[in-house]
Amino acid sequence: MLEVKDLRVRFWSRPEKYAVDGVSFHMDDGEILGLVGESGSGKSVTAMAISGLLPRRKTETAGSILLDGREMLNADREEVRKIQGKDLSVVFQEPMTSLDPVMRIGPQVEESLRIHTRMNALERRAAALSAMEEAELRDPEIVYEKYPHELSGGMLQRVMIAAAIVSEPKLLLADEPTTALDVTIQTQILELLKKINREKGTTILFISHNLNVVRKLCSRVAVMHKGKIVEEGTAEAVFYHPQDAYTQRLIAAIPTRDKRLR
Ligand SMILES: Nc1ncnc2c1ncn2[C@@H]1O[C@H](COP(=O)(O)OP(=O)(O)O)[C@@H](O)[C@H]1O
Ligand SMILES: [Mg+2]
């Protein structure tokens, strides 16, 4: 489904350093892969490259990103627009930065339907309400009419997830979707992503700086450090038998009380 090969990205503002420095990994249909690493290790830049969101003029890229056989790296704008929100959706850490503060929630959840389908307003509303229900937002009809500032952080993240799944993408990129949330809400969102994966078969790339969070959700984990993947394996193997020194340090940094099994 996704095949990333020797991906390299550098920003012209910092040409001496590759933000992503030769990253390769693949994702199978329906799996949840965790991409973990400390802040600045290149996770978000990798996700942006996959989604076609890297600023063209500011970056130099090399390598290949095949999504169902189509090259995403340097795909033209039109091609990216066709894929964004339909075959692939992204959920970011800060819902407030992705949502329009002066627009009601409903139309924002429907956005990708307006772009990618010929549904009429009634059909879009029905699809949005159903996605919101799937994202476990209580009273979707009421939330539909609200503005972003009227909702809590956890609800906003559910809104983002609803907007991401409304057009039933095959691949969901979730970049630190729970980092800004408190622990209880964080667990609920992880459960929600698991449910979407299980029920819809959505393939999920889950990005986090927190290996303990990744372990709860993902069967396979790739560890990133300074723009490179330093270790990859099943969540259990990486967690219990880390081979790389950097992974070992990541694990050592997890508080003992959090290390107990789920
Ligand atoms: N717009 C940008 N301009 C210049 N450098 C950037 C930009 N965005 C990210 N970087 C650099 O790329 C590297 C990887 O960043 P990022 O992918 O955001 O890390 P992560 O998501 O793992 O925290 C960092 O060194 C960061 O400073
Ligand atoms: Mg990031």
Side-chain angles (χ1 to χ4, degrees), residues 96 99-106 108 137-138 141-157 159:
M96 271 318 234
L99 289 166
D100 185 338
V102 297
M103 211 173 145
R104 291 182 199 272
I105 294 295
Q108 304 202 56
L137 278 156
R138 251 170 293 142
E141 281 93 355
I142 294 170
V143 176
Y144 189 97
E145 305 297 336
K146 299 256 188 221
Y147 289 97
H149 70 88
E150 298 178 281
L151 303 181
S152 70
M155 285 176 88
L156 287 174
Q157 201 52 291
V159 165

Side-chain angles (χ1 to χ4, degrees), residues 9-14 17-20 36-48 54-55 58-59 175-176 207-209 224 227:
V9 181
R10 62 175 165 167
F11 290 86
W12 290 123
S13 57
R14 266 185 101 183
K17 185 190 141 192
Y18 280 89
V20 176
V36 68
E38 69 192 348
S39 172
S41 55
K43 307 183 296 295
S44 293
V45 172
T46 301
M48 284 168 81
L54 274 181
K58 294 183 180 163
T59 53
D175 190 356
E176 308 254 10
I207 295 176
S208 175
H209 66 281
M224 257 188 109

Side-chain angles (χ1 to χ4, degrees), residues 211-225:
L211 182 57
N212 211 35
V213 168
V214 166
R215 174 171 80 106
K216 288 179 189 157
L217 183 69
C218 309
S219 45
R220 216 154 51 83
V221 173
V223 181
M224 257 188 109
H225 182 48

